[in-house]
Amino acid sequence: MRAAPASWTIFAAALVLNAAEPKLDLRGQVPGASARLMVELFGVESPYNANTLTDSKGRFHFRALAPGSYTVAVFLPGRVETRRTVVVSPSLGGTKGVIEIAIPFPADDGGSNARPDYNTVPVKQLAISEAARHEYEEAGKELEKRNREEAVRRLQEAVRIAPQFALAWNSLGVLAYQVQSYSEAERCFRQAIGAQPGMYEPTVNLGGVLLNLKRPQEALAYNKFAVLERPDDALANSQLGMVYFELRQMDLAEQYL
């Protein structure tokens, strides 16, 4: 009977230790961001991983963090990933236990830090000529007649006239994917994302084609972004599940599948 009090003493000590460890918040912003970016947080000294999307002003928030060093990664499809190491500690958190950080994101050629808001149309897309749009529409008509070759020719002409035509690039990628021309599909989806960073369709499509190319680690960020963007999209969830399956992270694979 005397063993029980000893075990309770150990349990109580564990509770005291857990209670003594402060939980801190990390609040940050990506200055100049006009729409959502994916932000991922990795523990440096201990296993930890969480991700979220910024709001329309580039703000993000991670709650109840244990003290330690973390890597913050900011990601937008079609743009480079930015990483920064931050220290989360009571001394930096002040009386409220909140650490504030700002992470500048490299500007693209147009000087914008993020893709436009969903309710706006990117200027580059508005600048697409009527001739290019005509070719895109004619490609759709050819596909209705199951004339794939002529549809591809029309789409190629559309992007020749307007290299920034993201929808046309994405359609070319889909047609390449359908005939298992995965390298060409990857090229087209990357062109679409380059023309309109953060565009959902080529992002989730690129995540799928990278899976087919047996590059799950590279596919991970694109599929994570897609799931955060549209949590109820079955395609995005299934692809992220397959990525985790390929990476042998079975609990996460099951969760998303």
Side-chain angles (χ1 to χ4, degrees):
M1 294 296 293
R2 293 186 179 179
S7 64
W8 278 107
T9 301
I10 294 171
F11 180 70
L15 288 178
V16 171
L17 286 173
N18 288 335
E21 185 179 77
K23 296 298 182 182
L24 304 162
D25 283 12
L26 178 64
R27 187 182 297 156
Q29 184 170 20
V30 183
S34 60
R36 292 183 293 180
L37 309 166
M38 184 173 81
V39 182
E40 193 156 18
L41 191 66
F42 304 91
V44 175
E45 294 123 347
S46 59
Y48 181 83
N49 180 219
N51 54 62
T52 188
L53 288 176
T54 62
D55 65 14
S56 61
K57 295 183 179 180
R59 296 173 299 197
F60 60 91
H61 196 171
F62 293 98
R63 295 175 171 82
L65 301 174
S69 296
Y70 294 84
T71 297
V72 183
V74 180
F75 175 78
L76 176 67
R79 300 281 302 282
V80 298
E81 181 180 280
T82 296
R83 288 175 176 255
R84 175 168 296 182
T85 299
V86 298
V87 176
V88 173
S89 71
S91 62
L92 296 174
T95 57
K96 294 183 179 180
V98 177
I99 291 89
E100 303 270 359
I101 62 169
I103 303 180
F105 200 65
D108 60 19
D109 294 337
S112 172
N113 292 74
R115 62 186 170 83
D117 183 77
Y118 296 119
N119 296 320
T120 66
V121 179
V123 173
K124 289 195 296 184
Q125 302 306 309
L126 285 173
I128 294 169
S129 69
E130 286 299 321
R133 295 183 186 278
H134 174 74
E135 293 296 334
Y136 180 81
E137 291 168 2
E138 290 301 312
K141 295 176 183 177
E142 295 297 337
L143 285 174
E144 288 179 7
K145 298 183 286 187
R146 301 184 185 279
N147 189 349
R148 180 187 179 279
E149 289 74 15
E150 182 62 15
V152 169
R153 190 191 71 77
R154 291 280 193 173
L155 289 169
Q156 288 174 338
E157 180 64 11
V159 297
R160 185 194 68 79
I161 297 170
Q164 78 277 27
F165 200 164
L167 279 174
W169 280 115
N170 182 66
S171 296
L172 279 170
V174 170
L175 291 174
Y177 182 88
Q178 289 171 347
V179 295
Q180 299 181 12
S181 182
Y182 297 134
S183 294
E184 175 64 11
E186 177 189 0
R187 184 184 75 84
C188 293
F189 293 142
R190 289 191 185 279
Q191 290 279 3
I193 294 172
Q196 190 172 334
M199 183 179 174
Y200 180 79
E201 289 78 8
T203 297
V204 73
N205 289 338
L206 181 57
V209 81
L210 290 171
L211 264 174
N212 282 276
L213 289 169
K214 308 300 181 186
R215 289 149 60 188
Q217 190 62 56
E218 191 176 349
L220 181 60
Y222 293 97
N223 286 298
K224 277 185 176 179
F225 186 94
V227 168
L228 286 170
E229 187 76 67
R230 298 188 184 176
D232 296 327
D233 188 337
L235 175 62
N237 279 276
S238 64
Q239 285 184 181
L240 184 54
M242 288 304 300
V243 167
Y244 282 125
F245 179 83
E246 293 292 334
L247 296 174
R248 299 296 183 265
Q249 298 182 40
M250 298 306 179
D251 288 346
L252 287 170
E254 179 181 4
Q255 174 185 335
Y256 287 99
L257 289 171

